[in-house]
Amino acid sequence: GEDVEQSLFLSVREGDSSVINCTYTDSSSTYLYWYKQEPGAGLQLLTYIFSNMDMKQDQRLTVLLNKKDKHLSLRIADTQTGDSAIYFCAEGTGNAGNMLTFGGGTRLMVKP
Amino acid sequence: GAGVSQTPSNKVTEKGKYVELRCDPISGHTALYWYRQSLGQGPEFLIYFQGTGAADDSGLPNDRFFAVRPEGSVSTLKIQRTERGDSAVYLCASSLIGTDTQYFGPGTRLTVL
């Protein structure tokens, strides 16, 4: 079955870059997503990448996809304290690719 | 515009009781999804509606869980004979069409005592 894995925790200093990694198993996934969840809040879509792309950049966010290794990463440049949250990667699975399978989340802590 | 809304935001019930959780999707979104997020874990898929019909209910854990979307807009997730293990945050999401990006609501935190 599908399985998406992430490391549990990442701590960085304000101004540094953060890199959050994710591995997935379903090679038929069409889209891969990064969501952000702040305490007590819902999931906020940050960015997504189509499976035939290697990289996508959106302001401070860079997504890298290695489809051969089924590895996805999210790089946050110039990390700010407001970036402290839990970050989830998700793959679109199911018949229409619309059932999201989430990883367990990576808690990012940004120290001032 | 308004996002996905869910009511109630918190629900506390006793073991064995029946609960209903409501989701109002973004206006015009034809696809609606329910997920469940247990403490410290990522969300898990429950059911997906395209219009009024359940296109995929493979994630419902057992027959105590049921969801409806009678007019293709608002959806209700119904849980019968609640158990303590049902305690979680229930998230709803909607998308314009079934293959489009999903936008999530704030969730309903269900606590079964």
Side-chain angles (χ1 to χ4, degrees), chain B:
Chain B
V4 178
S5 62
Q6 294 185 245
T7 54
S9 55
N10 280 282
K11 176 70 177 178
V12 180
T13 191
E14 293 179 341
K15 180 174 177 290
K17 298 290 188 182
Y18 168 82
V19 296
E20 290 189 351
L21 311 179
R22 176 186 167 110
C23 172
D24 280 87
I26 293 171
S27 179
H29 280 195
T30 64
L32 184 146
Y33 312 79
W34 284 99
Y35 292 82
R36 177 169 73 173
Q37 186 175 21
S38 299
L39 191 63
Q41 297 182 23
E44 293 178 307
F45 170 81
L46 295 177
I47 187 170
Y48 152 58
F49 287 90
Q50 181 58 53
T52 60
D56 185 344
D57 64 357
S58 61
L60 294 177
N62 51 60
D63 61 6
R64 295 187 297 106
F65 289 75
F66 189 71
V68 295
R69 195 186 185 202
E71 297 179 357
S73 178
V74 170
S75 176
T76 305
L77 178 65
K78 308 180 181 194
I79 310 174
Q80 297 177 322
R81 304 183 304 279
T82 51
E83 299 177 357
R84 293 194 180 89
D86 299 335
S87 296
V89 175
Y90 288 81
L91 296 167
C92 177
S94 71
S95 63
L96 191 58
I97 59 173
T99 55
D100 203 4
T101 303
Q102 297 178 30
Y103 296 90
F104 282 79
T108 294
R109 181 175 297 278
L110 175 66
T111 303
V112 182
L113 301 176

Side-chain angles (χ1 to χ4, degrees), chain A residues 22-95:
Chain A
C22 171
T23 58
Y24 62 97
T25 57
D26 191 338
S27 58
S28 66
S29 295
T30 306
Y31 287 96
L32 295 130
Y33 302 85
W34 284 103
Y35 282 86
K36 176 183 180 183
Q37 187 174 45
E38 295 179 272
L43 289 164
Q44 174 194 352
L45 176 66
L46 283 179
T47 187
Y48 63 91
I49 188 167
F50 190 52
S51 60
N52 69 354
M53 297 170 65
D54 298 324
M55 185 182 84
K56 179 178 180 181
Q57 186 153 3
D58 184 0
Q59 299 183 342
R60 292 192 297 123
L61 305 178
T62 302
V63 179
L64 295 178
L65 175 60
N66 182 329
K67 198 170 180 182
K68 174 176 169 290
D69 294 337
K70 298 190 185 69
H71 183 267
L72 183 72
S73 68
L74 174 69
R75 178 177 180 269
I76 305 173
D78 186 26
T79 315
Q80 303 297 306
T81 55
D83 294 325
S84 293
I86 301 176
Y87 290 80
F88 292 94
C89 68
E91 58 176 345
T93 56
N95 289 338

